[in-house]
């Protein structure tokens, strides 16, 4: 029987800060998954959904965002949920990779301090 480790963050209460990272890597396997999901060929998926990052790597394209200025093009701006959850890249599945999320710790502390459960921290400097 597999048991999931308990985690100390709740993505359902978060505005998806991690989806605002500029460098969300897309590897070949991720690209194939995206192409399958949208029923397009690899070239079309590469052009439509990715661009070259600063280091020459493939990253997800962004869109404007009211909270963070810019977020992954696949984040729903209202619900703050991933619109391609089952087709999202590996890096999104793996994040944050530990039982805590630094942004969520910060957000929770601010929400407690400000007595505002809906407060959105738009900047965070880990
Ligand atoms: S920033 Fe942390 S808590 Fe928020 S969606 Fe990303 S992983 Fe989840
Ligand atoms: S693919 Fe989904 S989980 Fe990954 S950055 Fe974009 S919106 Fe967030």
């Amino acid at each position: 029987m597999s048991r999931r480790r308990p985690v100390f963050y709740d993505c359902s209460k978060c505005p998806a800060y991690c989806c605002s990272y500029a460098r969300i890597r897309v590897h070949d396997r991720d690209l194939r998954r995206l192409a399958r999901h949208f029923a397009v060929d690899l070239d079309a998926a590469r052009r439509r959904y990715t661009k070259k990052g600063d280091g020459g790597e493939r990253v997800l394209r962004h869109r404007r965002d009211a909270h963070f200025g810019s977020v992954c093009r696949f984040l729903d701006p209202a619900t703050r949920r991933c619109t391609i959850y089952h087709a999202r890249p590996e890096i999104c599945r793996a994040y944050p990779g530990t039982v805590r999320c630094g942004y969520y710790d910060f957000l929770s502390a601010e929400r407690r301090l400000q007595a505002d459960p809906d407060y959105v921290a738009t900047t965070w400097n880990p």
Side-chain angles (χ1 to χ4, degrees):
M1 185 172 80
S2 77
R3 267 203 200 144
R4 302 189 97 183
R5 275 196 307 171
V7 294
F8 300 94
Y9 57 89
D10 184 348
C11 298
S12 73
K13 294 181 179 159
C14 175
Y17 180 82
C18 54
C19 301
S20 73
Y21 292 164
R23 194 164 169 257
I24 302 169
R25 287 290 300 268
V26 178
H27 294 284
D28 288 352
R29 226 169 84 182
D30 301 318
L31 198 60
R32 287 196 293 275
R33 197 184 298 108
L34 277 176
R36 259 197 322 275
H37 180 77
F38 288 107
V40 297
D41 63 36
L42 280 180
D43 270 357
R46 189 180 289 109
R47 271 184 282 109
R48 285 181 203 173
Y49 313 128
T50 75
K51 63 175 187 175
K52 234 181 206 178
D54 290 342
E57 74 282 21
R58 284 273 131 205
V59 299
L60 287 177
R61 286 187 181 277
H62 269 215
R63 53 184 296 286
R64 289 169 70 85
D65 182 64
H67 292 307
F68 303 124
S70 166
V71 290
C72 170
R73 56 161 289 156
F74 294 120
L75 184 71
D76 184 305
T79 64
R80 314 305 292 181
R81 297 284 157 264
C82 179
T83 57
I84 56 157
Y85 191 76
H86 295 292
R88 69 199 190 288
E90 286 301 323
I91 198 167
C92 304
R93 295 161 196 261
Y95 192 86
T98 65
V99 296
R100 302 204 86 92
C101 167
Y103 173 79
Y104 192 79
D105 283 345
F106 175 66
L107 179 71
S108 305
E110 285 296 318
R111 283 176 173 173
R112 272 194 307 275
L113 273 171
Q114 302 191 30
D116 178 357
D118 299 320
Y119 174 77
V120 172
T122 54
T123 55
W124 175 55
N125 295 308

